[in-house]
Amino acid sequence: MLEKWFHLTERSSDAPTEVLAGVTTFLTMLYIVVVNPAILGAAGMNFDGVFMATVISSVLATLIMGIFANYPIVIAPGMGMNAYFAYSVVLGGGHSWQAALGAVFISGICFVLLSLTRFRYMLIDAIPASLKHAITAGIGLFISFIGLQNAKIIVASPATLVTLGRLSEPMPMIAVLGLAVSLILMIYRVKGFLFFGILATAILAYCQGLLVLPENWLVLPSGLASTAWQMDVSGVWNQGLYAVVFTFLLVTLFDTTGTMLGVAEQAGLLNEGKFPRVRGALMADALGTAAGAALGTSPTSAYIESAAGVAAGGRTGLSAVTTAVLLLSTLFFSPVAKMLAGVPAVTAPAIILVGFFMMDGLKNIEWKDTEEAFPAFLILVTMPLTYSIATGIGVGFIAYPLLKLVRGCGREVSPMLYFFALLFFIQIGFFSH
């Protein structure tokens, strides 16, 4: 049965190898079931509800990916988009989390429709590679900044806006020590180093009296009613969250596509540079995003941590199915997740390191080419300093075609990018809060 469905022999694999690869991926990305509810909880959402939404949407999308697309790729709420949801749209923009979920749902439906057409390629191709790399790196800086703030390593200053916190205090001291432990585990290539780094930091927090052990370690899943079907779609129109919808859609689309191509290439599954069954793979993420919004979480995305499973031998969807089953089992451990997320210093090292990983694409930007480099630079600095991914994208999208026009290279820019630049100019210039 497994051979017939997943084509194990055809891909030079076997069931034990695929199961081991699935376990490896699970350990590598397990941190998200702790970190995602912690981040969205800052927006006023119920932790237990977001925890269940995170697990269920991840399991659903990953099962679709594994069973129907037959790829060893895991899907879960994306880091960066969750921070944008909580800190930019809700806390920074003053919008309700219900309206933010409505924006996620609409972007998910748009993603589903795009996955059925070739327009998805037009949208991806319209964005220059330098801007794509800068957006990913800018999101990395943004979430690292949030991690540093949550741990009080960086604090507010009336004179300089931000400054270094008192590292001798328990919260920042534990975060710094936890970051050091996580880095050591990463250097020695320990599988699941982010999750084990969280556990090590939690032990430090417990020794300092900051962490309170739960009364029950295992409980029946509950709390989903507080977030499920709470999305306010009409609020998207009433509150003018058009740029938010576009940002969710754009980042999820090219981030997912890039991750899938990278993992598939590593697994040797590309056919002459092309991605077979790409429609099913993208549909898995699109449905995950829409379902996640209905349940109560931010957009899902393909996880680069899937590469760890591929490195362990994963070549088929059986690896993804194994990860999904293990993720489902975490539903009974919500008190543990809540305990770990209850102290910001515990999750901060993982958030900071994920931001660091997102810097990799900067090496691909032609920094000596001003028309390519300066818009990328604007995206990098604007995202964390304005606390808005959408603003960072908008500034870059406006600057890029303008510089190309001044240089006399306007024809090199896609008409679609000019259209996006105009929309962002109107949004930032006249409707920005």
Side-chain angles (χ1 to χ4, degrees):
M1 179 67 179
L2 292 177
E3 171 61 40
K4 181 179 179 180
W5 193 273
F6 295 106
H7 307 288
L8 298 174
T9 303
E10 180 183 327
R11 296 193 183 177
S12 304
S13 187
D14 53 61
T17 300
E18 294 297 317
V19 171
L20 176 61
V23 173
T24 301
T25 302
F26 170 73
L27 290 174
T28 305
M29 54 83 65
L30 183 56
Y31 69 90
I32 193 61
V33 302
V34 177
V35 174
N36 193 57
I39 290 177
L40 296 190
M45 300 183 69
N46 177 269
F47 183 94
D48 292 326
V50 177
F51 175 78
M52 288 191 65
T54 299
V55 174
I56 295 172
S57 62
S58 301
V59 169
L60 174 65
T62 301
L63 285 177
I64 295 173
M65 175 68 75
I67 295 173
F68 297 104
N70 198 20
Y71 282 113
I73 298 173
V74 173
I75 296 174
M79 289 293 292
M81 285 293 93
N82 51 11
Y84 174 62
F85 180 107
Y87 295 98
S88 292
V89 180
V90 179
L91 297 179
H95 305 288
S96 67
W97 59 262
Q98 291 88 345
L101 283 179
V104 175
F105 182 75
I106 293 173
S107 71
I109 297 300
C110 291
F111 196 176
V112 170
L113 297 176
L114 285 175
S115 298
L116 298 174
T117 70
R118 294 190 60 83
F119 185 73
R120 63 182 181 272
Y121 296 114
M122 295 173 59
L123 184 60
I124 294 172
D125 292 341
I127 305 168
S130 59
L131 297 190
K132 293 177 186 175
H133 295 310
I135 290 171
T136 301
I139 293 173
L141 287 176
F142 177 56
I143 63 176
S144 291
F145 186 40
I146 289 172
L148 291 168
Q149 284 185 308
N150 288 348
K152 297 183 180 179
I153 297 173
I154 297 295
V155 296
S157 166
T160 60
L161 297 184
V162 291
T163 188
L164 185 67
R166 294 180 180 272
L167 300 185
S168 59
E169 293 181 353
M171 190 75 73
M173 180 179 65
I174 289 170
V176 170
L177 291 174
L179 181 60
V181 172
S182 299
L183 281 170
I184 292 171
L185 294 175
M186 182 179 73
I187 290 171
Y188 282 95
R189 299 183 179 180
V190 175
K191 291 181 175 66
F193 66 90
L194 283 177
F195 178 70
F196 290 123
I198 287 176
L199 292 182
T201 312
I203 293 173
L204 293 172
Y206 178 76
C207 293
Q208 288 288 323
L210 296 180
L211 195 72
V212 179
L213 298 180
E215 293 183 3
N216 299 305
W217 294 77
L218 283 170
V219 297
L220 292 175
S222 63
L224 189 60
S226 63
T227 58
W229 298 107
Q230 299 297 314
M231 57 187 179
D232 180 11
V233 175
S234 63
V236 176
W237 320 119
N238 296 335
Q239 300 177 40
L241 299 181
Y242 310 113
V244 174
V245 172
F246 178 72
T247 300
F248 281 142
L249 174 63
L250 182 67
V251 175
T252 303
L253 181 61
F254 76 72
D255 184 50
T256 289
T257 304
T259 299
M260 287 181 181
L261 286 172
V263 174
E265 182 177 19
Q266 180 184 349
L269 300 178
L270 295 183
N271 185 9
E272 296 181 355
K274 295 183 179 180
F275 194 9
R277 301 179 307 283
V278 65
R279 178 175 294 178
L282 289 175
M283 186 64 72
D285 190 17
L287 292 174
T289 294
L295 294 170
T297 187
S298 49
T300 59
S301 179
Y303 261 49
I304 193 61
E305 284 84 352
S306 305
V310 170
R315 294 295 182 272
T316 75
L318 181 56
S319 170
V321 170
T322 301
T323 303
V325 172
L326 292 172
L327 279 173
L328 191 61
S329 69
T330 64
L331 279 175
F332 300 94
F333 292 89
S334 62
V336 179
K338 185 182 293 186
M339 173 191 69
L340 297 174
V343 182
V346 172
T347 54
I351 296 174
I352 294 167
L353 283 176
V354 169
F356 161 70
F357 299 146
M358 298 175 77
M359 296 292 105
D360 184 65
L362 291 179
K363 66 178 183 292
N364 299 314
I365 297 175
E366 293 291 337
W367 290 105
K368 294 183 179 180
D369 186 341
T370 304
E371 301 111 68
E372 297 289 333
F374 190 71
F377 165 76
L378 287 178
I379 291 174
L380 284 172
V381 298
T382 305
M383 278 190 187
L385 294 182
T386 63
Y387 239 63
S388 173
I389 293 174
T391 300
I393 293 174
V395 170
F397 275 31
I398 293 169
Y400 188 90
L402 285 178
L403 288 177
K404 286 292 184 180
L405 284 171
V406 172
R407 183 70 171 79
C409 303
R411 292 185 178 181
E412 296 178 4
V413 180
S414 167
M416 195 174 295
L417 189 59
Y418 283 115
F419 176 68
F420 292 152
L422 178 61
L423 292 181
F424 273 117
F425 177 79
I426 295 172
Q427 172 72 26
I428 294 173
F430 299 97
F431 296 101
S432 176
H433 61 83

